[in-house]
Amino acid sequence: MSDYLELRNQVHAYAVKMYQAGMVTGSAGNVSARVPDEADRYVITPTSISYQELKPEEVVVVDGEGDLVVGENAPSFEYPIHIAIYRARPDAGAIFHTHSVYSSILAVLRKPIPPIIEELVPYAGGEVAVAEYAQSGSDALAENAVKALFGKSAVLLANHGNLCLGKNLRKAFNLCALVERAARIYVEALKLGQVHLLPEEVVQAEKEMYEVVKDL
Ligand code: 13P
């Protein structure tokens, strides 16, 4: 049986990158990747191990029920949201869930990030909505996130953080960085005056770009 070492190493490297980028503290947040060409196999970070200490072999592989296939550590307790999104979104090859500060501020305010900067819509797919609140790790949170993600690649989780998907780890990570940057711009701009949205026809054109860009 394969031990999926290469993909576990990649998930580990990106989890450390997420930590170093300040998107999470300690062991908060989680990263996963779909095992290509195998049904219902997902590589995911383990629960409750600080990213400062995490070793590649502690990253695990789970099946569609969240049960361990490879590895010894318990998977992230957020595995239901990861698995539900992979099942609903064949375009998702990787998922990041982060507790980035400005995304979390908007998640607490339950305020979506509107189309305010040029690069957001082509990569996120439109306004970044806030999924209805449900407790961390619950099936209800998974369901709410899938609903709010419809046709897009990023979502805010009420009172919690953000979540981004992508074709691969690089794209999902970059989108989380972009969403956090847009959240920061929005929060800071709101303090200074009126925020202007992109014109509707531009948003529509950029949504078409999203459909192309997400598969590149
Ligand atoms: P895990 O350590 O189980 O991944 O959970 C952290 C978290 O981000 C909860 O939202």
Side-chain angles (χ1 to χ4, degrees):
M1 185 180 65
S2 164
D3 57 8
Y4 307 97
L5 248 198
E6 195 182 324
L7 196 52
R8 287 162 77 202
N9 279 334
Q10 285 173 20
V11 167
H12 172 265
Y14 269 96
V16 171
K17 225 168 135 90
M18 171 179 77
Y19 175 79
Q20 288 172 343
M23 294 171 170
V24 293
T25 53
S27 67
N30 23 79
V31 183
S32 69
R34 187 199 295 274
V35 174
D37 306 321
E38 274 189 54
D40 264 343
R41 289 289 180 272
Y42 312 104
V43 176
I44 188 163
T45 46
T47 188
S48 308
I49 299 182
S50 160
Y51 292 107
Q52 267 173 309
E53 293 156 18
L54 181 68
K55 298 183 189 72
E57 61 272 23
E58 290 171 327
V59 173
V60 299
V61 184
V62 295
D63 64 17
E65 306 302 318
D67 292 329
L68 276 184
V69 174
V70 174
E72 282 163 19
N73 296 82
S76 167
F77 72 74
E78 295 287 9
Y79 75 81
I81 200 170
H82 290 256
I83 292 174
I85 292 169
Y86 287 121
R87 287 188 160 168
R89 293 289 297 263
D91 57 330
I95 296 171
F96 282 74
H97 160 51
T98 91
H99 295 182
S100 301
V101 172
Y102 287 89
S103 297
S104 299
I105 290 171
L106 294 173
V108 166
L109 293 167
R110 304 206 182 162
K111 222 173 165 36
I113 311 173
I116 46 164
I117 48 168
E118 289 286 348
E119 71 267 34
L120 188 64
V121 181
Y123 293 103
E127 171 181 279
V128 181
V130 185
E132 203 179 313
Y133 179 81
Q135 198 181 339
S136 265
S138 65
D139 290 335
L141 179 61
E143 207 175 294
N144 296 348
V146 166
K147 212 184 290 172
L149 264 170
F150 185 77
K152 297 183 234 176
S153 296
V155 67
L156 300 178
L157 307 178
N159 300 78
H160 192 163
N162 65 22
L163 182 145
C164 300
L165 62 88
K167 182 182 168 189
N168 52 37
L169 285 159
R170 180 175 54 80
K171 291 193 87 157
F173 174 80
N174 287 344
L175 181 54
C176 263
L178 181 71
V179 165
E180 174 60 4
R181 187 168 177 278
R184 182 174 181 183
I185 290 167
Y186 189 41
V187 168
E188 297 298 334
L190 283 171
K191 293 181 197 165
L192 298 177
Q194 195 196 338
V195 170
H196 298 274
L197 304 187
L198 290 170
E200 188 48 37
E201 64 275 16
V202 172
V203 173
Q204 285 314 319
E206 289 184 347
K207 280 185 179 170
E208 285 168 31
M209 280 169 68
Y210 164 76
E211 293 301 330
V212 176
V213 165
K214 75 186 171 78
D215 297 323
L216 295 179

